Amino acid sequence: MKKIIEVKHLTKKYRKIKAIDNLSFYVFENEILGLLGPNGSGKTTTINAMLSLLSYDKGNICYLGKEITPDSYDIKKEIGVVFQEIAVFDELTVYENIDYFCGLYIEDKKIRKKYVDDAIKLVKLEQFVNYKPKALSGGLKRRLNIACGIAHKPKIIFLDEPTVAVDPQSRNNILEGIKKLRENGATIIYTTHYMEEVEKICDRIIILDKGKIICQGTKEELKQLTGIEEKVTIEINNLDRNHIEKFKKLQNVKNVEYRFENLEITFIKGKNNFTKLIDYLKKEKISYNKIYSEMPTLNDVFLELTGKDLKD
Amino acid sequence: MFLHNFKYSFLFLLKNKSLVFWTFFFPIILGTFFYMTFSNIENNEKLKKINIAIINNEELKNDKLLLSVLGYLSEDNNNEIFSTIYTDLEKAKELLENKEIIGYLEIKNSKYLITIKENGIEQTIFKYIIDEIIETKIIIKDISSTEKNINLEELYNKINNNITKVVDMSSDNLSYTMIEYYTLIAMSCLYGGVFGMYAINNILANMSKQGARVAISSIKKRTLLLSSLLAAFLIQLIGSLLLLSYTIFILNVDYGNNIVNTLIMTVTGSIAGLTLGVAIAALFKTNENIKIGIILSITMLGSFLSGMMGITMKYIVDKNMPLLNIINPANMITDGFYSIYYYQSMDRFYFNIISLLIFSSIMVMISIVRLRSQKYDSI
Ligand SMILES: Nc1ncnc2c1ncn2[C@@H]1O[C@H](COP(=O)(O)OP(=O)(O)OP(=O)(O)O)[C@@H](O)[C@H]1O
Ligand SMILES: [Mg+2]
């Protein structure tokens, strides 16, 4: 795999606070890389530094071996960014906004028209081309924000929490669009604090906390880190306290919790955990309503590594 | 790229409705308002002489200069400005009380004491002229103590010339309101700087969200700045010219029949406004509304000091704090128009043009220092 971007020892301080602390990672060609982290973990700061908008205290950032500076117009030409905050002009219509930003890269008018139309199609804003941003709902505005960032068909795309405060339908639209961009050959750096999104679309994941990388790798690699095999949830009414202690003594059981009539049992690696559990329930004549087994989530990974929940 | 950015900058500045209202139409409305209020005052004031009293005592009799000048100013010629009564203190007080005079002058122990009851244009002119006379007297004294063979006649002529100027400034030659229209153009030129401010804010990464998006594009920063500013300047100029035409053709404001110089003044004034707007955009890292507030305050204060709310203010500043008006761009513009209208010699006009250009250069230098950075500590 070809490394497109190399970030080494990147450190950025705001006065005394280290917003990001000694980050090193690669971005490979045509992958979707997820930067996952809670609020304030340094995702936006990392992106802005990688765009050469922010000065940083240490480290360097290379695109195909070339260090980026504000004058690296040849590199910047290949980059598209969707900022976390909506950055469009209220005075211009949907079409004009996309055309304006696209025109900062694409001079040829014919090509530009096609590109703008493509972008509108991608985010499904065809019916709204003559609307002003103020007349758009939050989700539609987000889509416009995306279109403005990617209309010039860049090879490298940064998306900073593009789905925040968006309804599920718009969110799916956006995620589909991002997948399509990758199919068309783009490399994507995607930040979010929704782990479900990362699990859905990212090839590789970097988890950030307090400005530091706490782990990186593919989904499977990260889940290995937890040492958890599976998590079984059983709905049981009025479970006896004594039973809980007994569950804890079963083979391979790592943790047992009983909340809101739900018994959650996490298993470490081992064979046939689930079947053994069902056998045990029969033997003890414990009646239950529902039982299901899950793989560990990225939240479990985060919990394991930082001792806190990724969700607020 | 230049044209693309120029076109869109032009478009989004012009489509900003509140911006266009406050820069284009507000001055026109204000001008119309001036016109309606002043056309009445004007007609009355022109005919009216200023009624004053002079306390008749020994000291007055010895003050040949004052007597001759006041005599000249009260004489029945086209330049008369005062209707003067020579009387005693008691009577003068009574006249003032009954508002038959606006003030009186008493010379006591070589001091000139002016008594007035209220403040206004007429009172200011009265004080101003007496001040002028006293100053001239001091000069004469100085000269006569060093030079024995002094040509008194020549001196009197000089004084008379000066006095004529004063008279012209305040009598029917210069209508009171003319200056106020000039300050209106000055206001429009300077306030037009908000277009420059917006143009800059829209393309700087550390000033707006859109600016970050523009800044990461592959367009050169210099191209970006120049094309945006050109668009801003053009719109601003359209606004100022619109106002200028309105005052000329609808409000009949007199610019001394020198249209070329009037245009040069307007364009130079607009440059000063634009560069002021740019400097403020570059200097402060706050939101647009606060920047508008700063530009508006500077514009309004400047216009006020140069006579927008009454010519009195300009007199007072010129007299007591001349430095303030030397650095006040609104005054440079106002004074420039005034010099086109009033003076035959071009010196004062050029002086104002050059002052404005110096002001603009300083603004540009401030901006360059701030605009050069391409990476920011925080955005
Ligand atoms: N302009 C700034 N001045 C000072 N501190 C800042 C600034 N911008 C960010 N920070 C701090 O730097 C840290 C990282 O912020 P950053 O915006 O990069 O986080 P983030 O992961 O993008 O968070 P979010 O999910 O809320 O967008 C935070 O502690 C934040 O308070
Ligand atoms: Mg962020």
Side-chain angles (χ1 to χ4, degrees):
Chain A
M1 275 188 293
K2 201 161 118 195
K3 287 173 198 160
I4 288 213
I5 312 173
E6 249 175 286
V7 176
K8 279 188 198 149
H9 308 297
L10 188 64
T11 300
K12 162 77 187 168
K13 282 183 229 159
Y14 289 114
R15 290 174 210 263
K16 290 221 172 100
I17 311 160
K18 271 191 188 164
I20 46 178
D21 189 0
N22 201 20
L23 301 192
S24 297
F25 60 91
Y26 302 117
V27 182
F28 296 107
E29 187 166 31
N30 203 216
E31 73 171 344
I32 302 184
L33 172 69
L35 284 180
L36 180 66
N39 292 124
S41 55
K43 303 179 295 290
T44 303
T45 305
T46 307
I47 289 191
N48 285 339
M50 288 170 83
L51 296 171
S52 203
L53 282 174
L54 271 182
S55 59
Y56 39 87
D57 301 280
K58 254 189 241 148
N60 53 43
I61 298 159
C62 293
Y63 288 70
L64 294 172
K66 240 181 100 185
E67 180 138 16
I68 186 170
T69 67
D71 293 326
S72 311
Y73 298 113
D74 49 336
I75 298 176
K76 285 167 126 186
K77 210 167 61 199
E78 308 294 348
I79 298 179
V81 184
V82 176
F83 286 102
Q84 181 170 5
E85 285 177 88
I86 291 169
V88 296
F89 289 106
D90 287 337
E91 294 84 8
L92 303 181
T93 64
V94 165
Y95 188 92
E96 287 166 338
N97 263 300
I98 303 174
D99 186 51
Y100 172 61
F101 289 113
C102 187
L104 297 178
Y105 300 84
I106 309 291
E107 213 150 355
D108 187 293
K109 276 196 186 149
K110 256 196 207 142
I111 299 178
R112 194 164 81 221
K113 180 158 185 344
K114 181 171 180 316
Y115 279 21
V116 173
D117 287 340
D118 285 351
I120 290 170
K121 239 179 256 156
L122 182 82
V123 297
K124 303 205 167 71
L125 278 177
E126 292 96 332
Q127 295 166 38
F128 304 96
V129 282
N130 290 322
Y131 281 48
K132 294 265 175 73
K134 278 219 176 88
L136 300 179
S137 71
L140 295 182
K141 240 185 257 175
R142 287 256 154 221
R143 291 198 232 162
L144 169 62
N145 196 42
I146 294 173
C148 289
I150 52 94
H152 58 289
K153 299 197 194 279
K155 291 207 183 102
I156 305 167
I157 302 173
F158 291 85
L159 294 127
D160 195 356
E161 309 210 25
T163 57
V164 165
V166 160
D167 64 84
Q169 197 202 339
S170 270
R171 173 176 300 189
N172 279 336
N173 257 327
I174 290 170
L175 294 180
E176 285 311 308
I178 291 168
K179 277 190 192 158
K180 220 176 276 170
L181 287 169
R182 193 263 290 277
E183 278 161 31
N184 296 340
T187 305
I188 289 163
I189 297 100
Y190 184 90
T191 86
T192 183
H193 59 265
Y194 297 124
M195 53 175 184
E196 303 85 358
E197 291 184 354
V198 170
E199 296 211 28
K200 223 183 213 168
I201 64 166
C202 294
D203 305 312
R204 250 169 12 95
I205 299 151
I206 293 174
I207 301 185
L208 287 177
D209 186 45
K210 295 185 188 145
K212 289 200 173 97
I213 294 181
I214 58 168
C215 59
Q216 54 179 315
T218 62
K219 266 182 292 213
E220 290 71 27
E221 285 167 352
L222 294 185
K223 286 179 183 173
Q224 292 285 323
L225 291 174
T226 59
I228 299 173
E229 179 70 27
E230 62 186 327
K231 205 161 86 182
V232 179
T233 309
I234 319 168
E235 230 180 86
I236 306 174
N237 298 335
N238 306 319
L239 183 67
D240 199 328
R241 286 275 141 200
N242 293 331
H243 278 303
I244 297 175
E245 290 311 310
K246 283 187 191 161
F247 277 112
K248 279 188 185 164
K249 292 193 180 110
L250 291 176
Q251 203 191 353
N252 290 341
V253 166
K254 191 179 179 223
N255 196 22
V256 179
E257 253 180 272
Y258 185 61
R259 299 187 284 206
F260 313 114
E261 315 281 282
N262 274 333
L263 184 70
E264 281 179 16
I265 306 174
T266 30
F267 288 96
I268 55 167
K269 288 180 201 338
K271 277 189 180 148
N272 303 328
N273 288 331
F274 193 64
T275 7
K276 280 180 193 160
L277 180 65
I278 291 183
D279 289 346
Y280 177 77
L281 289 169
K282 266 190 200 152
K283 204 183 90 194
E284 294 288 316
K285 297 204 172 77
I286 300 171
S287 62
Y288 55 88
N289 304 330
K290 241 190 242 166
I291 180 163
Y292 55 92
S293 158
E294 291 169 294
M295 295 287 284
T297 61
L298 288 172
N299 191 44
D300 296 318
V301 178
F302 194 78
L303 189 69
E304 179 82 14
L305 294 174
T306 66
K308 60 183 183 194
D309 249 3
L310 186 54
K311 294 176 223 168
D312 302 324
Chain B
M1 300 279 175
F2 186 92
L3 274 180
H4 176 77
N5 189 56
F6 171 79
K7 181 188 125 186
Y8 270 106
S9 303
F10 193 82
L11 209 61
F12 57 58
L13 289 175
L14 209 57
K15 279 188 172 185
N16 189 325
K17 290 197 191 80
S18 70
L19 193 59
V20 167
F21 173 80
W22 287 106
T23 44
F24 280 31
F25 297 109
F26 177 65
I28 288 182
I29 294 168
L30 202 59
T32 313
F33 183 71
F34 281 173
Y35 183 75
M36 293 190 304
T37 348
F38 291 137
S39 49
N40 298 329
I41 299 175
E42 186 95 334
N43 291 338
N44 300 339
E45 300 273 341
K46 252 183 201 160
L47 305 170
K48 221 163 75 185
K49 286 187 255 176
I50 302 174
N51 296 318
I52 55 166
I54 312 288
I55 310 302
N56 206 350
N57 57 19
E58 279 306 307
E59 282 193 64
L60 178 72
K61 279 179 194 139
N62 294 330
D63 201 330
K64 293 271 157 30
L65 180 70
L66 183 73
L67 277 177
S68 73
V69 173
L70 282 177
Y72 173 76
L73 293 175
S74 316
E75 209 168 74
D76 239 359
N77 55 25
N78 279 335
N79 285 332
E80 86 265 30
I81 175 167
F82 292 131
S83 168
T84 311
I85 300 168
Y86 296 88
T87 180
D88 58 33
L89 194 57
E90 288 303 303
K91 180 81 179 143
K93 276 184 183 160
E94 194 188 316
L95 286 170
L96 186 62
E97 201 56 44
N98 297 336
K99 293 195 176 158
E100 284 172 51
I101 56 171
I102 59 103
Y104 58 83
L105 169 73
E106 184 187 10
I107 312 174
K108 206 172 168 185
N109 306 328
S110 303
K111 288 216 172 73
Y112 295 77
L113 306 170
I114 291 171
T115 310
I116 54 172
K117 256 192 87 177
E118 37 196 65
N119 272 313
I121 297 171
E122 295 180 331
Q123 285 82 351
T124 308
I125 294 171
F126 179 36
K127 280 194 279 190
Y128 182 80
I129 289 175
I130 300 299
D131 279 352
E132 266 320 272
I133 296 170
I134 298 167
E135 247 168 51
T136 318
K137 255 186 72 174
I138 293 168
I139 296 170
I140 295 174
K141 259 198 195 140
D142 282 354
I143 300 171
S144 44
S145 59
T146 49
E147 269 181 66
K148 283 281 168 260
N149 300 327
I150 187 149
N151 188 340
L152 260 180
E153 200 176 323
E154 201 178 285
L155 260 180
Y156 268 93
N157 280 339
K158 254 191 197 154
I159 295 161
N160 264 346
N161 278 341
N162 270 342
I163 294 298
T164 317
K165 253 187 209 167
V166 176
V167 174
D168 282 345
M169 268 169 82
S170 39
S171 74
D172 53 26
N173 261 342
L174 178 69
S175 78
Y176 299 141
T177 56
M178 213 55 90
I179 281 262
E180 279 156 50
Y181 289 117
Y182 298 160
T183 57
L184 193 65
I185 307 272
M187 182 193 89
S188 149
C189 287
L190 293 183
Y191 188 61
V194 294
F195 285 112
M197 184 277 287
Y198 263 93
I200 291 291
N201 254 25
N202 280 339
I203 56 172
L204 289 189
N206 60 338
M207 294 299 173
S208 68
K209 300 167 283 173
Q210 300 95 315
R213 181 160 261 164
V214 176
I216 51 138
S217 74
S218 57
I219 197 170
K220 281 207 179 77
K221 192 165 182 182
R222 198 176 337 122
T223 314
L224 213 55
L225 282 172
L226 289 178
S227 52
S228 291
L229 288 181
L230 187 68
F233 183 58
L234 212 66
I235 295 179
Q236 186 192 0
L237 204 57
I238 292 173
S240 297
L241 292 179
L242 214 65
L243 176 65
L244 192 68
S245 323
Y246 184 76
T247 58
I248 292 175
F249 297 114
I250 312 285
L251 307 185
N252 298 318
V253 175
D254 191 346
Y255 290 90
N257 291 329
N258 192 336
I259 193 68
V260 176
N261 283 356
T262 305
L263 286 176
I264 292 176
M265 199 66 225
T266 310
V267 172
T268 319
S270 295
I271 292 175
L274 182 81
T275 53
L276 173 72
V278 172
I280 284 170
L283 216 49
F284 300 97
K285 195 177 181 281
T286 57
N287 68 42
E288 278 157 4
N289 290 331
I290 294 178
K291 290 183 188 180
I292 290 181
I294 297 172
I295 297 176
L296 187 66
S297 317
I298 294 178
T299 304
M300 280 313 182
L301 185 68
S303 307
F304 173 68
L305 292 178
S306 55
M308 177 172 249
M309 305 300 159
I311 197 167
T312 321
M313 200 61 213
K314 183 168 160 59
Y315 283 149
I316 293 172
V317 177
D318 276 341
K319 196 98 203 128
N320 300 318
M321 292 171 282
L323 189 70
L324 200 58
N325 266 348
I326 286 172
I327 59 165
N328 173 4
N331 187 59
M332 298 172 199
I333 300 172
T334 307
D335 208 67
F337 281 118
Y338 173 61
S339 70
I340 301 172
Y341 167 76
Y342 180 68
Y343 287 101
Q344 300 301 317
S345 129
M346 299 299 298
D347 291 356
R348 190 152 160 186
F349 174 73
Y350 290 132
F351 175 76
N352 282 305
I353 291 278
I354 290 167
S355 305
L356 280 169
L357 292 178
I358 292 173
F359 175 85
S360 306
S361 315
I362 293 171
M363 292 297 122
V364 168
M365 282 189 284
I366 291 173
S367 311
I368 287 176
V369 171
R370 297 283 299 192
L371 293 176
R372 266 157 73 132
S373 60
Q374 294 197 297
K375 273 193 193 179
Y376 305 97
D377 287 338
S378 72
I379 62 170

